[in-house]
C-alpha cells in the first residue's frame, strides 16, 4: 500500500512504435507509523521514497494490451529513457534509482533503440511517443511521421542528427531536440547523421 508504506506506486503503459510510459509516484502520506524506519510521520513531513526503473520494467508494458500476446522483449540494442519533466534522458542499461521527495512523480518515456536511433516523440506532450505515427529506421537515416508537427526529440548513438531546414540542439547523453512549428498534419521528417 504506497499510501501507508514508504514505497513508490509504479505503473507502465504501452505506447506507439514499441515505446512505453512508466511513472513513479510518491503517495506516502506519512500520517502513521512507518515500519520501514520505525518512525511515525506527520503529513507535513517531506518524506522521500526511493524507487527505480530497469529494462525488466519494459517487458511488463504489454500487460495492458488485450488480447495478451506475451511480454515485450527488451530490444537487442537496448532502451533509452526520457524524463518528460526535466527534458533530459539516459540510456537504460541497468536499474536506475530515483528519489521522490514529497508528494511527486517521475514520468519516463522508454523507447527502443534501432540502428542506433531512438524516437521519443513530441517534447510538449506527456505521452510523447503517441504523436508519432510511424518510424522507418536505417543505419544512416530514419524517417519519422508525426500525426501533428511540433518539437521533436530523438536519440542518436552515433553522431549529431540533421535534417533539411531543421536545427537539432543537444539535450545531453545523445538526445537532441528540434523545434518544428506546431500544427501541420501527417508530417514526415527525414533525419540523417
Amino acid at each position: 500500500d504506497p499510501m501507508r508504506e514508504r514505497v513508490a506506486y509504479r505503473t507502465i503503459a504501452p505506447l506507439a512504435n514499441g515505446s512505453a510510459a512508466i511513472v513513479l509516484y510518491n503517495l506516502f502520506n506519512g500520517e502513521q507509523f512507518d515500519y520501514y524506519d520505525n518512525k511515525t510521520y506527520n503529513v507535513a513531513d517531506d518524506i522521500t521514497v526511493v524507487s527505480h526503473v530497469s529494462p525488466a520494467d519494459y517487458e511488463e508494458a504489454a500487460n495492458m494490451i488485450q488480447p495478451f500476446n506475451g511480454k515485450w522483449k527488451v530490444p537487442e540494442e537496448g532502451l533509452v529513457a526520457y524524463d518528460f519533466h526535466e527534458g533530459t534522458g539516459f540510456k537504460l542499461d541497468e536499474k536506475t534509482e530515483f528519489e521522490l521527495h514529497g508528494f511527486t512523480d517521475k514520468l519516463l518515456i522508454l523507447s527502443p533503440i534501432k540502428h542506433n536511433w531512438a524516437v521519443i516523440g513530441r517534447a510538449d506532450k506527456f505521452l510523447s511517443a503517441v504523436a508519432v505515427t510511424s518510424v522507418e529506421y536505417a543505419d544512416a537515416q530514419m524517417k519519422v511521421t508525426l500525426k501533428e508537427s511540433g518539437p521533436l526529440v530523438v536519440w542518436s548513438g552515433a553522431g549529431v542528427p540533421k535534417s533539411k531546414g531543421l536545427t537539432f540542439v543537444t539535450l545531453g547523453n545523445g538526445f537532441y531536440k528540434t523545434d518544428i512549428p506546431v500544427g501541420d498534419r501527417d508530417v514526415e521528417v527525414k533525419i540523417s547523421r
Side-chain angles (χ1 to χ4, degrees):
D1 183 355
M3 293 183 73
R4 292 188 171 83
E5 298 174 50
R6 211 161 89 177
V7 296
Y9 177 79
R10 299 164 14 106
T11 188
I12 189 165
L15 299 177
N17 302 300
S19 292
I22 186 166
V23 66
L24 318 172
Y25 292 102
N26 181 353
L27 302 176
F28 184 64
N29 66 19
E31 292 184 306
Q32 68 276 318
F33 186 76
D34 177 22
Y35 293 99
Y36 178 77
D37 60 3
N38 295 319
K39 286 177 141 180
T40 300
Y41 289 95
N42 296 316
V43 73
D45 292 335
D46 185 19
I47 310 299
T48 297
V49 170
V50 177
S51 191
H52 69 276
V53 173
S54 73
D57 293 320
Y58 178 81
E59 297 174 358
E60 304 299 328
N63 292 346
M64 294 181 67
I65 300 172
Q66 296 300 319
F68 180 67
N69 291 321
K71 293 183 177 192
W72 281 2
K73 299 210 181 317
V74 175
E76 283 183 30
E77 293 182 61
L79 299 162
V80 295
Y82 178 78
D83 185 316
F84 171 79
H85 297 298
E86 294 181 15
T88 61
F90 55 93
K91 192 167 180 196
L92 185 61
D93 293 324
E94 58 191 16
K95 181 170 125 174
T96 303
E97 288 191 346
F98 299 97
E99 289 185 353
L100 304 170
H101 303 286
F103 184 70
T104 190
D105 69 89
K106 173 75 72 179
L107 172 62
L108 299 169
I109 304 300
L110 307 182
S111 296
I113 300 172
K114 297 180 181 178
H115 293 275
N116 230 359
W117 293 105
V119 176
I120 303 304
R122 291 267 307 264
D124 59 343
K125 303 291 184 186
F126 283 114
L127 302 177
S128 311
V130 174
V132 178
T133 305
S134 66
V135 183
E136 295 175 23
Y137 297 94
D139 289 337
Q141 67 179 13
M142 70 175 167
K143 182 171 78 172
V144 179
T145 304
L146 298 168
K147 291 179 186 178
E148 181 182 22
S149 62
L152 175 65
V153 174
V154 300
W155 179 87
S156 173
V160 179
K162 51 190 169 198
S163 183
K164 186 177 180 181
L166 297 175
T167 301
F168 285 86
V169 176
T170 183
L171 301 176
N173 294 329
F175 288 84
Y176 296 88
K177 178 181 171 188
T178 185
D179 288 316
I180 303 170
V182 176
D184 292 334
R185 298 277 182 190
D186 301 318
V187 173
E188 288 184 359
V189 182
K190 293 180 182 175
I191 304 170
S192 62
R193 46 185 170 211

